[in-house]
Amino acid sequence: FTQIEDLSVDVSKHDRSVTFASAPSLSKYDVFVTYNPTDYSWHSSNAEYRAGEFCRADVISGSVVTLQSALNDDYAFGDIDVYKLTTPTTCRIVGFSLKALPDTSSITDGVSLKGGVDCVIEDVKATNASYRCISVTSCFNVTIKNVTCMEDGSQDFGLDYGLGISNSSNITVE
């Protein structure tokens, strides 16, 4: 992610456009993130829960960017930093089984997708990972279909997950 120009006006839930302080470093279809770096800005239960969301540019006219979909929340422009996803991964992870090696000394994921855009994970069976069998982190527009996830059953790291989705938007699980 690379920080780009700041917003210049507040935005509201359901808005379909954002206005930057100057012409943004974005092109059509670029994915960017609005991010509030203030601890607890999204939810009071955890300092690491910070407000923000992924957006995709559709039309760019001067400093105004029309989005492909509406915003999910309100943001005060002074609270938000904006970051462009500069090296997105686009992939299809399809048709295999993976049995991870059990590891009680470090956190392991079976399949890990980070920074993915327009990706598909389909017909995958991932088992035995010590933390997450399939991890989707900082991704936008990912489809997960017909997967089996069975973590190792050990509680070595507190919370273990079959499928973990974090800091991502437009994720479909079928």
Side-chain angles (χ1 to χ4, degrees):
F1 290 94
T2 300
Q3 189 167 4
I4 62 172
E5 297 76 15
D6 290 329
L7 298 181
S8 64
V9 298
D10 295 347
V11 293
S12 299
K13 184 176 183 173
H14 304 300
D15 281 356
R16 291 287 312 255
S17 65
V18 294
T19 303
F20 288 83
S22 60
S25 306
L26 294 170
S27 299
K28 185 177 179 78
Y29 304 126
D30 278 349
V31 174
F32 63 98
V33 177
T34 59
Y35 173 70
N36 183 333
T38 305
D39 289 351
Y40 302 102
S41 59
W42 185 69
H43 197 276
S44 62
S45 66
N46 187 321
E48 294 179 4
Y49 291 170
R50 298 182 184 113
E53 64 187 273
F54 281 81
C55 304
R56 179 175 264 165
D58 189 24
V59 176
I60 301 161
S61 179
S63 62
V64 177
V65 176
T66 303
L67 308 174
Q68 283 192 340
S69 59
L71 292 169
N72 293 309
D73 210 343
D74 303 325
Y75 302 103
F77 77 92
D79 295 341
I80 296 295
D81 295 328
V82 183
Y83 294 87
K84 177 181 173 180
L85 182 56
T86 51
T87 54
T89 297
T90 299
C91 62
R92 290 182 52 82
I93 302 171
V94 179
F96 69 92
S97 294
L98 175 133
K99 182 176 181 182
L101 296 173
D103 184 346
T104 59
S105 63
S106 63
I107 292 175
T108 59
D109 294 335
V111 175
S112 183
L113 177 61
K114 185 171 185 177
V117 173
D118 300 330
C119 298
V120 174
I121 301 172
E122 184 175 6
D123 296 327
V124 172
K125 180 178 181 181
T127 61
N128 215 41
S130 69
Y131 188 54
R132 295 171 295 212
C133 290
I134 298 176
S135 172
V136 175
T137 305
S138 300
C139 293
F140 178 82
N141 202 37
V142 174
T143 300
I144 303 166
K145 290 173 64 171
N146 195 34
V147 300
T148 301
C149 303
M150 290 178 38
E151 54 95 16
D152 67 357
S154 170
Q155 290 294 316
D156 296 326
F157 304 107
L159 299 173
D160 290 355
Y161 304 95
L163 172 63
I165 300 171
S166 59
N167 302 325
S168 299
S169 295
N170 293 28
I171 309 300
T172 301
V173 179
E174 301 175 1

